Each structure stands twice: as structure tokens, then as C-alpha cells.
Amino acid sequence: MKSLLTPYLIWNSLILLVYVIFYTLGYNVTKFNGNFDLFTIFKSFIGFKDETGAFPIVYQMWFIRDLFCIVLISPLIFYLVCKLKFYYIGIISLLWVLGIEIPVLGDYCLSMASIFFFSFGAYFSIMRIDVLNVVEKIKIMAYLYPLLLILDVLLKSTVLHNVAILSGIFFGFFILWIYGPDRKIEANAISRFIFLLYIRYS
């Protein structure tokens, strides 16, 4: 968590500083409405509310903020996964696919997407399920990804968009499955660049 907190604070602080500089030079900074009090600065790191949710000043780092929050409720998620098993995952999956948010959490620091993916990962880990074995059994999800991607661009549907995301994840694991369990992909060599590219191009 410390390794994520540092870049989170640095990136948001840098962009906040840019806004302050532009405001000092006389530019109209609409996001702050000319107000740089402590609460507004606090929202730079926690989230500015808009019609789609609440996001930190560096928008694309919302998932790191959500991760900090979800760690706090991880014991509850662990309990629900162990107690309800697939029923819990089914409910959470349905809420996420339909784009239904929990109002209080969604308005401040935690999206349904974060709850879904964290719960999904927890379920596979706690139940000791091999993801690649699941992908092998339902390869159709991976095959559908190119089609879903095109439909997502054309139709702009929340449900379709989320299904396409899920299919894309299956597609990624499907590539790993094809690659073969006896051959290694240097994921660590690639992953070190992913975070920087995400921040740069998102």
C-alpha cells in the first residue's frame, strides 16, 4: 500500500500545484471555482463529484483511491465470500454489469467496479480456483471480445461496456492459457511500465 500511496500523493499534488499556479496567474480555474480552501484541497485527493461519480484531481487514479478504501472493508468481503460464496459474487456481478452504484459509497470513495473486481479476485483466491481452468471451460467469453469491443464503441451502452470489459479480461487470460503452463511470460518486466503508461495516456 505504501508503494501506491507515494505516487498517488505525488501525482495529485503536482496537478494541484499546476492548478494553483494557473489560478495565481489569473486564469479561470473552473474545477475549483476560485476556491482553494482546505476542504477543496482535500477533495483534490478524495474526489470531485460529477454526474458519473467522484474522482481525484488526477482522474485516472480513482482505482488507487478505491483500493485504499476497499482494504478497510476487506474483512467484510472475506466474510461474504466465505458465507455466501457464488451467490455473493452473482449479486455483485449483476449490480456492476447493470451500472448500479451504492449511493453513499459511490458519491465519496468506492465504486461498484472496485467492489466487484476485488470480490471476484477474493472469490477465486479463497475458493482456490484456477482462473485459467475457468477460462478453458468458457472460452466463448474470450472469442466474443472483438465483437463486444466493436458493439461497445457503436452502441455506448453501460451494460454492454461492462460485459466487454469482463470479456476482455477473459481474453487476456485466454492468451495466457494458449501460451501454455510450461512456458513463462515475463509479466514483471512488462508490469513495471504499465502504471506509468496508464497515467500518461489515460
Side-chain angles (χ1 to χ4, degrees):
M1 292 297 290
K2 290 182 179 179
S3 62
L4 288 175
L5 181 60
T6 300
Y8 183 83
L9 293 176
I10 289 176
W11 280 96
N12 281 287
S13 296
L14 286 174
I15 301 303
L16 176 62
L17 179 60
V18 170
Y19 274 104
V20 171
I21 291 173
F22 273 87
Y23 176 73
T24 303
L25 294 175
Y27 290 90
N28 181 26
V29 182
T30 55
K31 181 178 286 291
F32 292 91
N33 294 321
N35 183 12
F36 284 94
D37 58 23
L38 288 177
F39 180 67
T40 304
I41 293 174
F42 175 74
K43 287 199 299 183
S44 300
F45 295 90
I46 299 301
F48 288 95
K49 184 74 173 68
D50 63 21
E51 65 277 3
T52 60
F55 304 96
I57 195 168
V58 181
Y59 168 88
Q60 58 268 45
M61 299 190 80
W62 63 267
F63 75 98
I64 296 181
R65 178 211 57 199
D66 278 24
L67 179 59
F68 295 146
C69 296
I70 210 164
V71 165
L72 299 176
I73 65 169
S74 57
L76 174 61
I77 292 176
F78 178 81
Y79 173 80
L80 292 172
V81 169
C82 291
K83 192 73 173 177
L84 301 178
K85 298 182 173 61
F86 188 76
Y87 294 106
Y88 166 70
I89 296 300
I91 293 171
I92 291 297
S93 300
L94 185 62
L95 291 175
W96 173 67
V97 168
L98 296 178
I100 299 173
E101 297 284 346
I102 300 174
V104 175
L105 295 177
D107 283 350
Y108 293 97
C109 63
L110 197 56
S111 65
M112 186 54 66
S114 297
I115 297 173
F116 166 71
F117 284 110
F118 189 89
S119 299
F120 205 67
Y123 176 77
F124 277 86
S125 177
I126 295 170
M127 298 294 114
R128 300 185 183 279
I129 299 173
D130 189 332
V131 178
L132 295 184
N133 287 339
V134 175
V135 171
E136 181 182 1
K137 293 176 181 177
I138 49 176
K139 295 190 287 289
I140 184 64
M141 284 292 290
Y143 293 149
L144 287 174
Y145 178 60
L147 174 62
L148 290 171
L149 190 61
I150 294 172
L151 292 176
D152 179 34
V153 173
L154 295 176
L155 301 179
K156 305 295 183 181
S157 164
T158 298
V159 173
L160 189 58
H161 178 70
N162 289 340
V163 171
I165 290 174
L166 194 58
S167 178
I169 294 172
F170 273 89
F171 181 79
F173 279 113
F174 183 63
I175 298 300
L176 292 178
W177 178 74
I178 291 176
Y179 205 86
D182 56 330
R183 302 163 70 184
K184 294 183 76 174
I185 295 178
E186 294 297 330
N188 289 335
I190 298 172
S191 62
R192 69 186 66 178
F193 299 105
I194 290 177
F195 182 77
L196 180 61
L197 291 174
Y198 175 80
I199 294 298
R200 173 62 182 83
Y201 294 105
S202 295

